[in-house]
């Protein structure tokens, strides 16, 4: 075996769940490492919508994604984990002694156990299938929002029917000159409380309508045309910015080739957060089981289960779980 340091737990993915997994693994006094393909910690929250409010984290009625990541990162650093960024995991093999050899774009790591917390894997937005739409992308046609203030005093059209579309419409109402929200179905799929807020807001709503044409010059949107789905009604109005929230196409990439049981873009886990390979666990959006709600809060709970059972895998005599109040001396 090569002369590499062997880590107790290697966490693949440095999103919110991966960061909390690192903290909890440190509380269980496991040596640990985090590997992520992105240049910054935070996963999609950092890469796609740092200014978006997150509402499913206990203790926060609402917290901006970038602020949540900052606190999770600070928390994870409590136990000084090794964090390897800009490094994509390509393959893994289990050696005869049970240790996993992890091959990445930058080298090799050895670990006794692995916890997958790679979110939904690689992602790209579902793009508008309209003529000339690409001419506006990266300028006034957006698939995610990095900074809310770039829409100050603008006329904004938001397209989509899920939580992201509704949340952005409500957030933009505070800074934009006006906001219009369209969805191709009569009903939205967002949380009930968000929909109550939407109905009380000044956001103009058109359902069931879809975007059929963008008009403008030199990458700048000037007008849009929307059409009633299965109808003959058309509306044309002035717009400065268009935000499309049609979701993302995700791909867990090389994980599918590792011999782990998967369903579409998720790995199967049991009640211990174990995958089908011994010593490999999963937490967050990357894992699937019946009845799972895809929430950050759910991932935090899964992280503690995965870490506790990884600890038990490493040392069968170790307690399966401990109360966090016992881990720090005052």
């Amino acid at each position: 075996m090569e002369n590499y340091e062997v880590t107790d737990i290697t966490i693949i993915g440095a999103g919110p769940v991966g960061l909390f997994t690192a903290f909890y693994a440190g509380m269980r006094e496991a040596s640990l490492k985090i590997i992520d393909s992105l240049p910054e910690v935070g996963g999609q929250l950092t890469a796609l919508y740092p200014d978006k409010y997150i509402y499913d984290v206990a203790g926060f009625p609402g917290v901006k994604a970038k602020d949540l990541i900052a606190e999770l990162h600070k928390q994870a650093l409590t136990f000084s984990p090794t964090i390897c960024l800009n490094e994509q995991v390509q393959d893994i093999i289990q050696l005869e002694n049970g240790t996993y050899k992890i091959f990445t774009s930058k080298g090799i790591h050895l670990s006794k156990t692995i916890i997958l917390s790679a979110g939904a894997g690689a992602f790209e937005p579902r793009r508008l299938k309209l003529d000339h739409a690409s001419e506006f992308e990266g300028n006034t046609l957006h698939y995610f929002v990095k900074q809310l203030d770039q829409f100050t005093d603008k006329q904004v059209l938001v397209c989509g029917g899920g939580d992201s579309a509704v949340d952005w419409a409500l957030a933009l109402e505070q800074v934009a000159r006006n906001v219009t929200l369209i969805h191709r179905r009569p009903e939205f799929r967002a949380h009930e409380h968000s929909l109550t807020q939407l109905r009380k807001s000044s956001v103009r709503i058109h359902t069931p309508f879809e975007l059929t044409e963008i008009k403008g010059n030199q990458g700048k949107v000037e007008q849009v045309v929307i059409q009633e789905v299965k109808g003959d009604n058309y509306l044309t109005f002035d717009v400065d910015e268009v935000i499309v929230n049609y979701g993302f196409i995700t791909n867990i990439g090389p994980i599918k080739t590792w011999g782990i049981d998967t369903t579409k873009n998720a790995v199967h886990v049991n009640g211990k957060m174990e995958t089908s390979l011994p010593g490999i666990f999963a937490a967050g959006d990357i894992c699937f089981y019946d009845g799972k709600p895809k929430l950050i809060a759910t991932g935090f709970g899964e992280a503690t289960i995965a870490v506790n059972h990884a600890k038990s895998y490493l040392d069968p005599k170790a307690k399966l779980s401990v109360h966090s109040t016992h881990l720090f001396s005052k």
Side-chain angles (χ1 to χ4, degrees), residues 203-223:
V203 175
R204 297 180 294 198
I205 303 169
H206 293 289
T207 62
F209 274 82
E210 60 186 347
L211 182 60
T212 57
E213 187 178 356
I214 297 177
K215 301 178 180 181
N217 290 291
Q218 297 180 334
K220 294 186 177 181
V221 176
E222 296 173 352
Q223 281 189 330

Side-chain angles (χ1 to χ4, degrees), residues 56-108:
D56 68 325
V57 179
F60 294 96
V63 57
K64 279 192 175 183
K66 62 184 179 184
D67 296 332
L68 175 63
I69 292 302
E71 291 302 310
L72 285 166
H73 189 198
K74 179 180 176 182
Q75 185 184 43
L77 293 177
T78 302
F79 299 102
S80 303
T82 299
I83 302 179
C84 305
L85 299 175
N86 257 335
E87 189 164 354
Q88 183 179 20
V89 176
Q90 298 169 335
D91 198 6
I92 61 169
I93 60 171
Q94 191 172 29
L95 304 177
E96 290 183 1
N97 66 356
T99 298
Y100 279 98
K101 189 174 185 179
I102 303 168
F103 299 86
T104 77
S105 55
K106 291 186 177 180
I108 293 172

